[in-house]
């Protein structure tokens, strides 16, 4: 699905240059659930931004579905993102003055899906995530767990090939966190590929691969995570 080859990325501020990714190589296969771990500042979020085509590398090659996206215009990248990628953020990133159903509908509007299909797909995904009763509520009227479910619904409503999740349980209590991780596991078992950045050892165990970063480099790969006994609790 995705192949990153010899990826370099630096950030410059005045006279200081910080190397975020250093000759990084990574392959994301169809059906993967990859947990990316490492200390703060190791390049995890930068890697996720590049995987999501929200940022570009300084050098190296990014292949998406066997297409080399180097040189793609922002419009071409936006089309790839909107049709193939779903994003789940730690801070939820819901629009405060839109209802739950309107927040979920946004990606469909960007993809110019007709109104009837939008209504049907939003209704279906809300039922699946058990948030139909909150359809007309605003984000601030929801608990943290409910807001994260809305964010997941928004990511899923386009039926993405890949979900990118940045600390998806970081703002949740343990019970809601387990619910979210079990939901991501279920989606992965249904065929959706997932790449998740996490500081949580227990959350990382839900993946089928754990990739450790340090100083912008992959320092270890665990081909198979040990599944937690609490996984389906």
């Amino acid at each position: 699905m995705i192949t990153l080859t010899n990826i370099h990325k630096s950030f410059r501020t005045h006279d200081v240059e910080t190397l975020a990714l250093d000759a990084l190589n990574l392959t994301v296969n169809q059906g993967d659930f990859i947990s990316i771990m490492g200390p703060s500042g190791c390049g995890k979020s930068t890697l996720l931004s590049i995987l999501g085509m929200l940022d570009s590398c300084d050098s190296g090659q990014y292949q998406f579905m066997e297409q080399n996206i180097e040189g793609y215009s922002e419009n071409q990248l936006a089309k790839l993102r909107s049709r193939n990628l779903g994003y789940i953020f730690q801070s939820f990133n819901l629009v405060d003055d839109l209802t739950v159903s309107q927040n979920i509908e946004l990606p469909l509007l960007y993809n110019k899906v007709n109104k009837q299909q939008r209504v049907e797909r939003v209704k279906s995904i809300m039922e699946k995530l058990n948030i139909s009763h909150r359809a007309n509520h605003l984000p601030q009227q929801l608990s943290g767990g409910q807001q994260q479910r809305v964010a997941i619904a928004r990511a899923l409503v386009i039926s993405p090939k890949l979900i990118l999740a940045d600390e998806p349980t970081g703002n949740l209590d343990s019970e809601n966190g387990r619910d979210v991780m079990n939901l991501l596991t279920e989606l992965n078992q249904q065929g959706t590929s997932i790449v998740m950045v996490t500081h949580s050892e227990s959350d990382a165990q839900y993946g089928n691969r754990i990739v450790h970063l340090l100083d912008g480099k992959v320092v270890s790969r665990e081909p198979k995570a040990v599944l937690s006994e609490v996984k389906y609790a």
Side-chain angles (χ1 to χ4, degrees), residues 38-217:
S40 297
C42 72
K44 300 187 302 297
S45 293
T46 300
L47 173 57
L48 206 65
S49 293
I50 288 176
L51 284 170
M53 306 176 202
L54 299 172
D55 199 358
S56 59
C57 58
D58 297 330
S59 63
Q61 187 179 83
Y62 182 154
Q63 285 191 315
F64 182 79
M65 305 296 287
E66 301 184 349
Q67 301 176 61
N68 184 354
I69 67 171
E70 182 180 1
Y72 271 32
S73 68
E74 180 52 42
N75 187 50
Q76 288 174 305
L77 292 174
K79 286 181 179 178
L80 278 179
R81 287 194 299 265
S82 65
R83 295 171 181 172
N84 297 286
L85 304 180
Y87 301 87
I88 302 172
F89 302 96
Q90 177 180 352
S91 56
F92 314 136
N93 284 6
L94 302 177
V95 181
D96 289 339
D97 57 355
L98 296 182
T99 65
V100 165
S101 61
Q102 290 169 336
N103 266 282
I104 297 169
E105 184 185 22
L106 278 176
L108 301 177
L109 288 169
Y110 296 147
N111 280 299
K112 299 180 180 179
V113 175
N114 69 58
K115 184 175 182 179
Q116 181 179 349
Q117 288 183 326
R118 295 200 308 270
V119 170
E120 292 173 353
R121 290 168 72 172
V122 170
K123 179 181 178 182
S124 175
I125 199 68
M126 286 194 301
E127 289 175 351
K128 183 174 184 177
L129 295 180
N130 194 28
I131 51 176
S132 298
H133 60 299
R134 297 293 191 181
N136 296 316
H137 287 68
L138 296 173
Q140 58 266 32
Q141 297 173 302
L142 308 178
S143 68
Q146 289 168 337
Q147 289 186 59
Q148 190 61 290
R149 284 181 176 271
V150 176
I152 293 172
R154 183 182 56 189
L156 292 179
V157 76
I158 62 167
S159 300
K161 294 181 174 66
L162 173 67
I163 289 177
L164 301 172
D166 190 2
E167 298 283 359
T169 67
N171 286 326
L172 302 178
D173 59 34
S174 58
E175 181 179 357
N176 280 305
R178 282 195 299 272
D179 287 345
V180 166
M181 292 311 304
N182 285 332
L183 177 58
L184 291 178
T185 301
E186 180 183 347
L187 294 170
N188 178 246
Q189 291 172 343
Q190 293 171 357
T192 303
S193 302
I194 298 172
V195 176
M196 176 184 68
V197 162
T198 183
H199 281 101
S200 168
E201 291 280 356
S202 59
D203 284 358
Q205 299 301 315
Y206 287 78
N208 56 23
R209 277 204 286 157
I210 302 177
V211 173
H212 293 271
L213 298 187
L214 182 65
D215 297 331
K217 297 181 179 180

